[in-house]
Amino acid sequence: MTTMESLIGLVNRIQRACTALGDYGGGDNAFSSLWDALPSVAVVGGQSSGKSSVLESIVGRDFLPRGSGIVTRRPLVLQLHKTEDGQQEYAEFSHLPRRRFSDFSIVRKEIQDETDRITGKTKQISPVPIHLSIYSPNVVNLTLIDLPGLTKVAVEGQPESIVQDIENMVRSYVEKPNCIILAISPANQDIATSDAIKLAREVDPTGERTFGVLTKLDLMDKGTNALEGRSYRLQHPWVGIVNRSQADINKNVDMIVARRKEREYFATSPDYGHLSSKMGSEYLAKLLSKHLESVIRARIPSITSLINKSIDELESEMDYLGRPIGVDAGAQLYTILELCRAFDKIFKEHLDGGRPGGDRIYGVFDNQLPAALRKLPFDRHLSMQNVRKVVSEADGYQPHLIAPEQGYRRLIDGALNYFRGPAEASVDAVHFVLKELVRKSIGETQELRRFPTLQAEIASAAGEALEKFREESKKTVLRLVDMESSYLTVDFFRKLPQEIERAGNPAPSTADRYTEGHFRRIGSNVSSYVGMVSETLKNTIPKAVVYCQVREAKQSLLNYFYTQIGKKEGKQLGLLLDEDPALMERRQQCAKRLELYKAARDEIDSVSWAR
Ligand SMILES: Nc1nc2c(ncn2[C@@H]2O[C@H](COP(=O)(O)OP(=O)(O)OP(=O)(O)O)[C@@H](O)[C@H]2O)c(=O)[nH]1
């Protein structure tokens, strides 16, 4: 394989990969287009300019659809491969891989059918190219893109807008700096009115990438050289062509015969004889092939750097989007557990420190609980009036003799009841801190971002677990309070009368047993007992709360969730890993691009080795 073949073939292979990925150039893609970076030859011409004839002559075969109206409605990427002399000619479409066409009338029909497959019978145009490769001894290695003919009027059955649509499509090709423009104009028409030249001039004013072709030289009067004077100046010399006339086509004149006739025409023409070696479709094909090859060679370094840059960008985009997940249940389960673990780790960091939030639990124990305990209405409960009321009611018809045992118990029971409130409130306060930390941790788990469904599932599983811990914790703290009422600290009361005696007070007489002082003393005794209990609970409630809620949350927040997940089937696991569709789409695009660019890099590497 010569370098020329491999370079043009290389670009073609990359172009085909681009088409397979929906990159036909143009800016409608979210990614930069590789297609646009590849040099190509676009064939443009007005209706009846002889565009099809030139292409068929370059190929040496009749194979393009004919007919009235706009026949070419999709770009045709025509890749020509030269084969050894004597080899059988054949064609292949990239949409029908491994099918060889050696009958070119079927190639023509397939182009028509494939055009209709995308555009429907609407006669609309489509930018999705058809890729056709032709293997023949009668061609040079060259790739040409046949575009719809520029037209001024829509014919019946075609929408008005088609005129502008065609111009836009052709323009989108020729305006790319890497596009070589093959501008075809008929000699029997004023060059100033040539659609092809008008467009080429607009997008390539210096004419450095435009090749001018004049067809129908045979229709000019003898003695006029259509290539001199009248033609518009370009950097590359104009090439004159003589194609088959309509009469030749009707008579089915063979393309190879037509080529010979063309050669003879130039060789014997008094007007073009001196230029005969630089005229005709065969010369044009060689000229284009050589030029395309040199342009590709010059562009290779920048294509390579574009590819490398794009690969880097795509890799980091993929990292950001997260790698795709396996489809089998095992891989999915593994992924889910990994994600849960990632979340759990962050949640623990919030509790243990490293991330903020855990300190708010200490805040509950250090501020909220003591403050709530201080605010309990013991003053009211142990006011002289209430003490007298409770003690008298407890005594019944027989007032107490020494100490109001029943009265004490009732006063203490009543007071201890008040502790239930702050105990439950501490449980709830810690519950809300934990719940908030779960919410925060889910948000902070980068890996979970892609999976809104799993996020919601983890949130609800964690929520349920926290709810259970809360219930358990409430039972425990209330039990602590109940324990205080079920058995009073005997020592405390044993000490009371002794203290009075030590203080040297005379034993209260029956007379003042029912005085205010007596009830005040009872109140203050109860109050100091309750104060002692309050101190105890201030220490034990946090222990219970941490034991039942914080410790459990750290150890087994998602345990139940794990057992549920373990029972799920592949399909249900897949649902949990349901991602934001936009994100999935983006990743898919990204992965495809990455594949394309890597394939392109391999192609380029292999060519460089061959050189
Ligand atoms: N005598 C002569 N006739 C030609 C030449 N080139 C093209 N023609 C005729 O001009 C007509 C149009 O040629 P096509 O090759 O179909 O031109 P086109 O630009 O592809 O036209 P559309 O497909 O209609 O856009 C046909 O009848 C050809 O036979 C030429 O060099 N000499």
Side-chain angles (χ1 to χ4, degrees), residues 46-54 67 69 149 215-219 241-246 249:
Q47 252 185 329
S48 288
S49 58
K51 195 161 65 71
S52 314
S53 302
V54 170
T215 58
K216 309 192 186 181
L217 290 182
D218 59 314
L219 295 182
I241 296 266
V242 174
N243 288 312
R244 293 180 305 175
S245 65
Q246 190 57 48
I249 294 173

Side-chain angles (χ1 to χ4, degrees), residues 402-609:
I402 300 165
E405 182 81 10
Q406 278 305 318
Y408 267 112
R409 283 191 182 280
R410 285 201 189 178
L411 282 171
I412 291 172
D413 270 348
L416 293 183
N417 239 333
Y418 285 111
F419 287 118
R420 302 174 83 91
E424 286 187 311
S426 303
V427 170
D428 288 337
V430 170
H431 176 77
F432 288 115
V433 173
L434 292 173
K435 226 171 128 173
E436 172 64 14
L437 291 183
V438 165
R439 199 188 59 78
K440 261 182 140 176
S441 305
I442 288 176
E444 287 165 12
T445 310
Q446 195 70 34
E447 300 92 320
L448 265 179
R449 265 192 203 166
R450 308 158 50 179
F451 305 108
T453 308
L454 186 59
Q455 274 184 32
E457 288 290 318
I458 290 180
S460 93
E464 267 175 51
L466 289 181
E467 208 60 63
K468 262 203 263 149
F469 303 154
R470 161 152 85 166
E471 264 171 50
E472 205 46 51
S473 186
K474 262 192 192 164
K475 272 190 217 153
T476 308
V477 294
L478 292 180
R479 194 165 284 166
L480 284 178
V481 176
D482 289 345
M483 277 154 61
E484 291 296 338
S485 1
S486 70
Y487 188 72
L488 305 182
T489 309
V490 187
D491 254 10
F492 179 86
F493 294 95
R494 292 225 169 108
K495 280 178 191 152
L496 286 179
Q498 288 164 7
E499 273 170 26
I500 294 164
E501 269 168 16
R502 256 205 311 272
N505 281 352
S509 66
T510 326
D512 65 37
R513 191 161 292 164
Y514 291 97
T515 61
E516 289 189 1
H518 174 65
F519 289 115
R520 242 185 227 113
R521 235 177 345 265
I522 296 174
S524 100
N525 287 341
V526 171
S527 170
S528 58
Y529 184 76
V530 167
M532 183 189 75
V533 172
S534 179
E535 277 305 308
T536 310
L537 288 178
K538 201 167 79 186
N539 293 323
T540 52
I541 287 174
K543 290 178 206 283
V545 166
V546 168
Y547 184 85
C548 297
Q549 289 174 276
V550 181
R551 184 178 133 284
E552 280 298 310
K554 259 173 70 180
Q555 285 180 352
S556 59
L557 185 65
L558 294 179
N559 277 9
Y560 183 67
F561 186 59
Y562 292 146
T563 60
Q564 291 302 102
I565 295 249
K567 288 187 208 141
K568 282 199 200 287
E569 305 279 325
K571 208 169 148 218
Q572 294 168 296
L573 292 174
L575 288 180
L576 279 181
L577 292 174
D578 201 21
E579 293 182 70
D580 178 4
L583 199 105
M584 263 155 84
E585 168 68 24
R586 176 100 191 146
R587 178 182 317 100
Q588 225 164 28
Q589 279 285 321
C590 208
K592 277 189 184 173
R593 295 265 120 190
L594 197 55
E595 205 182 311
L596 163 69
Y597 280 88
K598 282 183 173 166
R601 187 171 61 183
D602 291 348
E603 294 278 6
I604 290 178
D605 285 350
S606 70
V607 170
S608 311
W609 282 113

Side-chain angles (χ1 to χ4, degrees), residues 198-222:
K198 259 196 281 183
L199 188 58
R201 232 164 138 171
E202 254 180 67
V203 298
D204 176 31
T206 56
E208 51 192 333
R209 51 189 184 89
T210 302
F211 285 80
V213 172
L214 268 191
T215 58
K216 309 192 186 181
L217 290 182
D218 59 314
L219 295 182
M220 303 302 289
D221 294 336
K222 295 253 177 325

Side-chain angles (χ1 to χ4, degrees), residues 270-467:
D271 300 312
Y272 307 107
H274 61 296
L275 289 168
S276 68
S277 68
K278 297 196 164 167
M279 290 290 132
S281 46
E282 286 172 280
Y283 170 73
L284 177 65
K286 282 186 196 129
L287 176 70
L288 287 175
S289 174
K290 237 173 82 192
H291 183 73
L292 180 61
E293 198 259 337
S294 75
V295 171
I296 292 174
R297 186 191 301 284
R299 288 282 298 149
I300 288 274
S302 61
I303 295 173
T304 308
S305 75
L306 169 79
I307 288 174
N308 287 335
K309 191 174 138 260
S310 304
I311 288 177
D312 286 349
E313 281 169 8
L314 289 165
E315 295 271 17
S316 56
E317 169 105 26
M318 283 297 270
D319 284 339
Y320 174 75
L321 294 174
R323 299 287 163 173
I325 327 134
V327 281
D328 61 302
Q332 288 177 334
L333 184 62
Y334 179 82
T335 306
I336 292 173
L337 293 180
E338 281 293 288
L339 291 167
C340 289
R341 254 192 286 280
F343 154 77
D344 210 41
K345 184 168 167 280
I346 290 179
F347 180 66
K348 279 187 182 131
E349 283 171 9
H350 275 295
L351 290 176
D352 292 339
R355 286 175 195 261
D359 51 313
R360 280 170 47 208
I361 293 174
Y362 178 66
V364 171
F365 303 150
D366 194 45
N367 299 314
Q368 228 167 298
L369 176 62
L373 292 174
R374 273 196 303 277
K375 279 196 207 112
L376 290 177
F378 294 130
D379 285 353
R380 191 158 37 81
H381 183 64
L382 299 175
S383 66
M384 206 270 293
Q385 290 84 350
N386 197 47
V387 171
R388 187 205 298 268
K389 183 170 163 279
V390 173
V391 170
S392 308
E393 278 172 11
D395 281 351
Y397 72 94
Q398 166 74 75
H400 60 271
L401 302 177
I402 300 165
E405 182 81 10
Q406 278 305 318
Y408 267 112
R409 283 191 182 280
R410 285 201 189 178
L411 282 171
I412 291 172
D413 270 348
L416 293 183
N417 239 333
Y418 285 111
F419 287 118
R420 302 174 83 91
E424 286 187 311
S426 303
V427 170
D428 288 337
V430 170
H431 176 77
F432 288 115
V433 173
L434 292 173
K435 226 171 128 173
E436 172 64 14
L437 291 183
V438 165
R439 199 188 59 78
K440 261 182 140 176
S441 305
I442 288 176
E444 287 165 12
T445 310
Q446 195 70 34
E447 300 92 320
L448 265 179
R449 265 192 203 166
R450 308 158 50 179
F451 305 108
T453 308
L454 186 59
Q455 274 184 32
E457 288 290 318
I458 290 180
S460 93
E464 267 175 51
L466 289 181
E467 208 60 63

Side-chain angles (χ1 to χ4, degrees), residues 7-193:
L7 279 180
I8 292 175
L10 159 76
V11 167
N12 218 268
R13 285 193 297 276
I14 301 176
Q15 276 175 339
R16 275 200 240 179
C18 285
T19 296
L21 285 173
D23 175 4
Y24 329 118
D28 51 338
N29 238 303
F31 300 91
S32 66
S33 169
L34 181 54
W35 177 291
D36 287 349
L38 302 171
S40 57
V41 181
V43 188
V44 297
Q47 252 185 329
S48 288
S49 58
K51 195 161 65 71
S52 314
S53 302
V54 170
L55 282 169
E56 289 184 324
S57 183
I58 286 176
V59 174
R61 277 292 191 168
D62 291 60
F63 68 99
L64 289 172
R66 284 209 197 93
S68 60
I70 295 146
V71 179
T72 308
R73 285 179 291 114
R74 285 174 62 182
L76 176 72
V77 180
L78 183 61
Q79 185 187 13
L80 308 179
H81 307 258
K82 181 166 174 54
T83 56
E84 299 282 317
D85 281 346
Q87 293 271 357
Q88 159 100 61
E89 286 172 273
Y90 66 91
E92 263 176 10
F93 289 94
S94 69
H95 65 270
L96 296 171
R98 286 183 295 281
R99 186 165 154 205
R100 286 185 176 194
F101 292 77
S102 40
D103 182 342
F104 282 79
S105 62
I106 299 180
V107 171
R108 170 180 295 145
K109 176 146 193 322
E110 183 54 37
I111 296 175
Q112 263 161 349
D113 293 350
E114 176 58 20
T115 300
D116 289 344
R117 256 170 233 143
I118 289 258
T119 61
K121 294 277 176 193
T122 58
K123 303 291 171 206
Q124 289 278 15
I125 60 165
S126 158
V128 183
I130 298 173
H131 286 260
L132 174 62
S133 292
I134 293 176
Y135 298 81
S136 162
N138 305 320
V139 297
V140 292
N141 292 302
L142 178 63
T143 304
L144 298 162
I145 304 171
D146 187 19
L147 294 167
L150 295 162
T151 172
K152 296 208 166 49
V153 282
V155 290
E156 226 192 276
Q158 285 174 325
E160 262 326 301
S161 63
I162 201 164
V163 175
Q164 193 57 47
D165 292 345
I166 290 177
E167 192 185 317
N168 293 345
M169 191 206 284
V170 174
R171 188 187 297 275
S172 77
Y173 275 83
V174 296
E175 71 189 357
K176 302 282 151 53
N178 293 307
C179 181
I180 298 158
I181 306 165
L182 189 63
I184 296 175
S185 317
N188 60 354
Q189 186 197 323
D190 187 354
I191 211 70
T193 66

